[in-house]
Amino acid sequence: MSKAEKRSEIVHAALELIAENGFHGAPMAMIAERANVGAGTIYRYFENKDVLINGLCQDLEERMYPVILTGYSADSPLRDRFLHLGAALLRYFIGNPLDFRFLEQFHNSPYGVEHRRDKILGKNAGYNVFRELFQAGVSRQVMKDLPLVILFALAFGPLLAVARDHILNFITLDDDLIARTVEASWDGIRN
Amino acid sequence: MSKAEKRSEIVHAALELIAENGFHGAPMAMIAERANVGAGTIYRYFENKDVLINGLCQDLEERMYPVILTGYSADSPLRDRFLHLGAALLRYFIGNPLDFRFLEQFHNSPYGVEHRRDKILGKNAGYNVFRELFQAGVSRQVMKDLPLVILFALAFGPLLAVARDHILNFITLDDDLIARTVEASWDGIRN
DNA sequence: CTATACGGAATGAACGTTCATTCCTGTTAT
DNA sequence: ATAACAGGAATGAACGTTCATTCCGTATAG
């Protein structure tokens, strides 16, 4: 097994275990076992568990962004752009439940809060499709004149909640239901 | 200290610690210390940690419901009823951040998922103001014709998200902002 | 071409720490 | 005096992390 493969085995095993059992249910020994490596080997690739977990999150975002942005045109009407992003996000989560469950675990942990604080208040507020879309929406008065944070909550709160419900089998989302849900969440933010 | 007082000290300490530091950051020894009791004493009141935590959740719901339902009239128009419940919920969470943080921790843990599964699919689907309100909304065509679970997500997803953002100091909610947020989430579900 | 030596990578047993839970001692109330 | 209770030290299981050792591919010597 090459070095890169081994690293990715470790990352994949960790993601799987954390998604399935939460942070509690993913001790290093178990990650090592599932990745078919020795317990110590992990520490050749990651300084410690914190670094592994933060790395996981970064890897994940890098995999997710391109998928969501496929077919996204910054020139379309705002409504279309929102519907595209919302549906793409929802489909991604449904198609990659492990990624979704990991992100949920991550965001409800000390790691996640710090991560989000940086994103909202922090330096690397850099380029961000979502922020750009919402700022345009507000300034063109297509969206409600509410703080960005609240618009985010109105838009993505429902989407994350239905993704969770689908993955926990409380409901089964098909393409029609996805579309109607995203449209409903658009109704929440549009003027 | 009376027996009932001691029990409530333990419950309060546990809620505080779990809310502040998550489940990881609330070992029994620390709960005992904050409650000014011995570590073993807790086990005279609760069989084990699981029982303590589930008890916490039940206590909390019993404290929350009356507050939210104060001034609620089942005869008002559906829109008013929703606005009342939404604003009351949001205000409760903002005024009782520890309760909110605990509920979040709880719902993102194995305990919480089981608890919710029971509530949605389970037996004790018994009386529930929210369910009743939404069923009425759908059947009178005041709300979108979507599965109940999705309407819940559309309505409460945003409210929980903004409550979280307020408590984490990403935004400061005042009465005006609360009202406008609840109205926006109503736009998401109404026809 | 084969045999030997080398060095980085992998290993997993062992360590120190932390936790939930138990147990025994001392205290209080009757 | 006795029973019920409270306390916190003791216990053992589980965890993240370390480190002495083994393994293996490659370079070097014969």
Side-chain angles (χ1 to χ4, degrees):
Chain A
M1 213 190 305
S2 83
K3 204 166 161 169
E5 275 173 37
K6 196 160 288 197
R7 195 198 129 98
S8 114
E9 281 295 310
I10 293 169
V11 164
H12 187 252
L15 186 114
E16 236 175 58
L17 281 169
I18 291 172
E20 284 166 10
N21 313 323
F23 284 97
H24 309 263
M28 291 300 251
M30 207 180 285
I31 294 173
E33 194 187 353
R34 189 174 293 207
N36 284 113
V37 300
T41 307
I42 297 178
Y43 290 85
R44 300 200 52 75
Y45 293 85
F46 301 95
E47 196 188 329
N48 57 44
K49 199 177 184 182
D50 283 11
V51 170
L52 166 59
I53 285 167
N54 281 297
L56 232 53
C57 179
Q58 204 170 325
D59 277 26
L60 202 155
E61 285 188 2
E62 279 164 22
R63 267 184 294 129
M64 211 172 78
Y65 259 67
V67 176
I68 287 172
L69 290 178
T70 302
Y72 179 76
S73 157
D75 301 325
S76 311
L78 291 173
R79 178 174 187 274
D80 294 348
R81 284 156 73 185
F82 177 79
L83 294 184
H84 174 98
L85 288 179
L89 202 62
L90 209 36
R91 264 196 293 268
Y92 184 88
F93 286 146
I94 287 172
N96 303 274
L98 290 182
D99 286 6
F100 177 77
R101 299 270 291 149
F102 171 79
L103 277 183
E104 283 232 303
Q105 297 287 344
F106 182 79
H107 274 98
N108 280 290
S109 73
Y111 307 111
V113 172
E114 183 126 347
H115 184 261
R116 213 157 93 74
R117 192 177 296 278
D118 281 356
K119 270 230 166 138
I120 292 184
L121 310 169
K123 328 269 92 110
N124 69 339
Y127 178 70
N128 183 319
V129 230
F130 294 106
R131 177 188 298 269
E132 198 206 13
L133 174 62
F134 281 67
Q135 279 170 340
V138 171
S139 71
R140 292 193 219 161
Q141 304 189 25
V142 175
M143 297 184 193
K144 294 183 168 78
D145 185 22
L146 286 166
L148 227 51
V149 173
I150 293 191
L151 290 178
F152 274 103
L154 285 165
F156 300 116
L159 299 187
L160 299 182
V162 298
R164 185 167 46 242
D165 289 341
H166 175 97
I167 287 164
L168 293 176
N169 268 314
F170 295 156
I171 194 176
T172 304
L173 290 175
D174 53 26
D175 280 343
D176 174 61
L177 223 37
I178 289 176
R180 290 202 288 149
T181 301
V182 178
E183 275 163 25
S185 85
W186 169 256
D187 286 340
I189 58 175
R190 78 139 208 269
N191 243 330
Chain B
M1 212 187 311
S2 83
K3 206 166 160 170
E5 275 173 37
K6 198 162 287 198
R7 193 198 130 99
S8 116
E9 282 296 310
I10 293 169
V11 164
H12 188 251
L15 187 115
E16 237 176 58
L17 282 169
I18 291 172
E20 284 166 12
N21 314 322
F23 283 98
H24 308 263
M28 291 299 254
M30 207 180 287
I31 294 173
E33 194 186 353
R34 189 173 293 209
N36 284 115
V37 299
T41 305
I42 297 179
Y43 289 85
R44 302 201 52 76
Y45 293 84
F46 300 96
E47 195 188 330
N48 56 44
K49 200 176 184 179
D50 284 11
V51 170
L52 166 59
I53 285 167
N54 281 298
L56 232 51
C57 179
Q58 204 170 326
D59 277 24
L60 200 155
E61 285 189 2
E62 278 164 23
R63 268 185 293 129
M64 211 171 79
Y65 258 67
V67 175
I68 287 173
L69 291 178
T70 302
Y72 179 77
S73 155
D75 302 323
S76 312
L78 291 172
R79 178 174 186 275
D80 293 348
R81 284 157 70 184
F82 176 79
L83 294 184
H84 174 97
L85 288 178
L89 201 63
L90 209 36
R91 265 197 291 270
Y92 184 87
F93 285 146
I94 287 172
N96 303 273
L98 291 182
D99 286 7
F100 177 77
R101 299 271 290 149
F102 170 79
L103 278 182
E104 282 231 301
Q105 297 288 343
F106 181 79
H107 274 98
N108 280 290
S109 74
Y111 307 110
V113 172
E114 182 125 345
H115 183 262
R116 213 157 93 74
R117 191 177 297 278
D118 281 354
K119 268 229 166 141
I120 292 185
L121 309 170
K123 328 270 95 109
N124 69 338
Y127 178 68
N128 183 319
V129 229
F130 294 107
R131 177 187 297 269
E132 198 207 12
L133 174 62
F134 281 67
Q135 279 171 341
V138 172
S139 71
R140 292 194 220 161
Q141 305 189 24
V142 176
M143 296 186 195
K144 296 183 167 78
D145 184 22
L146 286 167
L148 227 51
V149 173
I150 293 191
L151 290 179
F152 273 103
L154 285 165
F156 300 116
L159 300 187
L160 299 183
V162 298
R164 184 166 46 240
D165 289 341
H166 174 95
I167 286 164
L168 293 176
N169 267 314
F170 295 156
I171 193 176
T172 303
L173 291 175
D174 53 24
D175 280 344
D176 174 62
L177 223 36
I178 289 176
R180 290 202 287 150
T181 301
V182 178
E183 275 162 25
S185 85
W186 168 255
D187 286 342
I189 58 175
R190 76 140 210 268
N191 242 333

